[in-house]
Amino acid sequence: MRAAMQEYIDAFNRRDAEAVIALYADDASVEDPVGTEPKVGIEAIAEFYRYSVGLGAELSLVAPIRTSHANSAAMAFDVQVTLEQGPCLIRVIDVMTFNEAGKFTSMRAYWGPGDMAFQPAD
Amino acid sequence: MRAAMQEYIDAFNRRDAEAVIALYADDASVEDPVGTEPKVGIEAIAEFYRYSVGLGAELSLVAPIRTSHANSAAMAFDVQVTLEQGPCLIRVIDVMTFNEAGKFTSMRAYWGPGDMAFQPAD
């Protein structure tokens, strides 16, 4: 689980959307952020990552990945991305569940408006 | 939500089990760690915290608390505790859901055997 979570970060930073998508099971769901409509199924997930990886975000783990006593794991990271309003830091915790093949069956991203910090231009 | 999560950390560190318990709704559930049988209802939760707070653990946030676009929030922290085997660092991510009164309705703690580091005696 730890290796798959790390590959998620690394593939995102390589801007390799297809490698991110390949981490998911066909029937997976993605709720990013938690509280919005989940993307269900690999087609909707692929569309989401082709768009979001294309934004050029940089993901940095802020602490070691946590696992569990079951088929789920969690990680805290910061996202640095340039939005229309300018450069922005978004503080996120992702929780993934896994199937027996080691693919993500669900991802839920915890972040809210208060976890975004816009940075002044230089 | 952020204030309640912070109070959870602070009350734990004050060794004030009753203040931790007071953060929970009567019908809440606690799954700590994820993959073990949840404690359901305030009586079971109270018993769990009177025991675990009594262990004298110290909790330290390792990154700012994350919220969401819904009634849930997450936080990454380290637990320093002395177990029978000696001093131990446990790396944890807690995910809480909230009711309209701001009480926790569920807590799930993500940590596994690989997130524990025993430290050599001095």
Side-chain angles (χ1 to χ4, degrees):
Chain A
M1 294 196 292
R2 227 179 277 275
M5 303 282 271
Q6 184 66 56
E7 170 62 5
Y8 181 87
I9 298 282
D10 294 343
F12 219 106
N13 288 339
R14 293 195 311 268
R15 306 197 184 178
D16 186 348
E18 301 312 312
V20 175
I21 296 161
L23 294 167
Y24 280 92
D26 285 349
D27 58 351
S29 64
V30 169
E31 187 177 348
D32 183 358
V34 170
T36 58
E37 187 68 29
K39 272 72 74 176
V40 178
I42 198 70
E43 289 303 319
I45 289 170
E47 183 179 5
F48 171 69
Y49 281 108
R50 286 177 191 135
Y51 171 76
S52 58
V53 171
L55 294 175
E58 293 278 334
L59 279 54
S60 311
L61 282 174
V62 296
I65 295 162
R66 275 69 164 147
T67 61
S68 71
H69 286 60
N71 63 339
S72 51
M75 61 180 175
F77 58 99
D78 286 344
V79 177
Q80 184 68 52
V81 63
T82 298
L83 303 176
E84 281 182 29
Q85 305 94 316
C88 186
L89 175 75
I90 312 176
R91 297 189 181 91
V92 183
I93 285 178
D94 274 5
V95 176
M96 271 74 158
T97 57
F98 292 76
N99 66 16
E100 290 185 1
K103 300 281 189 182
F104 302 153
T105 50
S106 71
M107 184 275 260
R108 306 189 80 208
Y110 292 84
W111 63 274
D115 301 312
M116 304 175 75
F118 285 96
Q119 291 136 356
D122 288 333
Chain B
M1 293 195 292
R2 226 179 280 274
M5 303 281 272
Q6 183 66 55
E7 170 62 6
Y8 180 88
I9 297 282
D10 294 343
F12 219 106
N13 289 339
R14 291 195 311 269
R15 306 196 185 179
D16 185 348
E18 301 311 313
V20 175
I21 296 161
L23 294 167
Y24 280 92
D26 285 349
D27 58 351
S29 64
V30 169
E31 187 177 348
D32 184 357
V34 170
T36 58
E37 188 67 29
K39 272 71 73 178
V40 178
I42 198 69
E43 288 304 320
I45 290 170
E47 184 179 4
F48 171 68
Y49 282 108
R50 284 175 193 137
Y51 171 75
S52 58
V53 170
L55 294 176
E58 292 277 333
L59 279 54
S60 310
L61 281 174
V62 295
I65 295 161
R66 275 70 166 149
T67 61
S68 72
H69 285 62
N71 63 337
S72 51
M75 61 180 176
F77 57 100
D78 287 343
V79 177
Q80 183 67 53
V81 64
T82 299
L83 303 176
E84 281 181 29
Q85 305 94 316
C88 185
L89 175 74
I90 312 176
R91 298 188 180 92
V92 183
I93 285 178
D94 274 5
V95 176
M96 273 73 157
T97 57
F98 292 76
N99 65 15
E100 290 187 359
K103 300 282 188 183
F104 303 152
T105 50
S106 71
M107 184 275 258
R108 306 188 80 208
Y110 292 84
W111 62 274
D115 302 312
M116 302 175 75
F118 284 96
Q119 291 136 358
D122 291 332

